[in-house]
């Protein structure tokens, strides 16, 4: 995990439960462990506004360096240097908090795919910021963490659910960000389908049109509001009705060779909706129950990816997930 990136924000959120460790700060008696959920931005019709935390977790272990050198393990060699996103986010947060930066040993254990549309960079940013708070003996101030994370990420749609958990709706105004938090119905399952190729965010941005027709505005606005209600209530029929985006998915789907085949399979198995997670290449099937989710998994796991047919060495990875009720935690 480690992309490099270096807007400010003030958050307005519902009360979010914190872990005991987050309430009291961190005790330096043992290494600090930080857990951050994967996230899925947009949720189809909530382009650049909605974000969802999922029960797929990256874990990060921080400890003072024993030899005065920076050590980063658990990620590809190219991400083990001083430009690692966890480390740079930690340093940035220390500067903003006006606390000393210390050289660290950082262990990364993350199943979140790079450039896959499940918030890998947001997980790294949030973990680094959480470490700055905890190692300084400060309780996690999630509103302030959001402000710092948005500065680094450039937008709040992934970092907000990574910090608060659940479903979040965020918007910015003159450098401020407002984030609203919603609990997601326990009945819903979210099947993530991760293919053996990447879609870079910059590439996914380039394919979008610069303008949308006026008729798209009411279409999209009504469905985005309905999606929030549908996810919080677990209304599978409403999800099926409102999950039809016209702003980004018709264009980004062309970058995902397996999109149409997997979408048809998921919907035929009873999924309520089939969406692109973030900018892709991961896709997301929203299912009304674990029974339907498992049916989708069996069907898609038995299919050959277009990329596999072209010689990729690893196949698709499929997870049956739920909404994560909590965001970043100290464990």
């Amino acid at each position: 995990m480690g992309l490099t990136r270096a807007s400010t924000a003030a958050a307005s959120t519902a009360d979010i439960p914190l872990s005991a460790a987050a309430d009291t700060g961190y005790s330096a008696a043992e290494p600090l462990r930080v857990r951050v959920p994967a996230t899925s931005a947009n949720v189809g019709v909530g382009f650049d506004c909605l974000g969802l935390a999922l029960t797929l977790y990256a874990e990060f272990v921080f400890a003072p360096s024993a030899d005065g050198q920076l050590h980063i393990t658990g990620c590809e060699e190219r991400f083990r240097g001083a430009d690692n996103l966890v480390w740079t986010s930690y340093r940035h947060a220390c500067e903003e908090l006006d606390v000393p930066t210390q050289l660290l040993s950082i262990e990364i254990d993350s199943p979140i795919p790079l450039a896959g549309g499940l918030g890998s960079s947001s997980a790294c940013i949030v973990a680094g910021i959480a470490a700055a708070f905890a190692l300084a003996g400060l309780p996690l101030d999630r509103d302030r963490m959001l402000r710092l994370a948005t500065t680094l990420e450039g937008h709040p749609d992934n970092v907000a659910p990574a910090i608060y958990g659940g479903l979040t709706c965020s918007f910015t105004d003159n450098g401020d960000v407002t984030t609203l938090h919603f609990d997601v119905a326990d009945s819903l399952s979210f099947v993530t389908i991760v293919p053996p190729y990447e879609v870079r965010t910059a590439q996914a941005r380039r394919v979008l049109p610069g303008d949308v027709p006026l008729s798209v505005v009411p279409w999209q606005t009504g469905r985005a509001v309905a999606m929030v209600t549908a996810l919080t209530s677990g209304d599978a029929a409403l999800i099926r009705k409102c999950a039809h985006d016209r702003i980004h998915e018709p264009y980004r789907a062309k970058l995902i060779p397996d999109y149409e085949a997997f979408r048809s399979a998921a919907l035929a198995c009873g999924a309520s909706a089939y969406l692109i997670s973030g900018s892709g290449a991961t896709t997301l099937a929203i299912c009304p129950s674990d029974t339907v989710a498992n049916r989708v998994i069996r069907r898609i796991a038995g299919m050959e990816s277009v990329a596999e047919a072209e010689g990729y060495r690893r196949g698709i990875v499929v997870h049956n997930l739920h909404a994560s009720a909590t965001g970043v935690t100290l464990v």
Side-chain angles (χ1 to χ4, degrees), residues 14 16 50-52 164-170 179-185 228-229 231-232 323-325:
I16 308 299
L50 296 182
L52 178 68
Y164 297 106
L167 175 69
T168 59
C169 177
S170 307
T179 294
L180 305 175
H181 173 267
F182 306 89
D183 293 321
V184 177
V228 173
T229 298
L231 291 175
T232 56
S324 176

Side-chain angles (χ1 to χ4, degrees), residues 27 36 55 82 86 93 112 114 116 136-137 144-145 151 160 168 208 219-220 229 235 279-280 287 292 328:
S27 169
V36 187
T55 53
V86 182
I112 305 174
L114 287 175
R144 193 170 185 187
M145 289 175 67
T151 299
T168 59
L208 300 183
W219 169 280
Q220 200 81 8
T229 298
D235 189 334
S279 57
C287 301
V292 172
V328 59

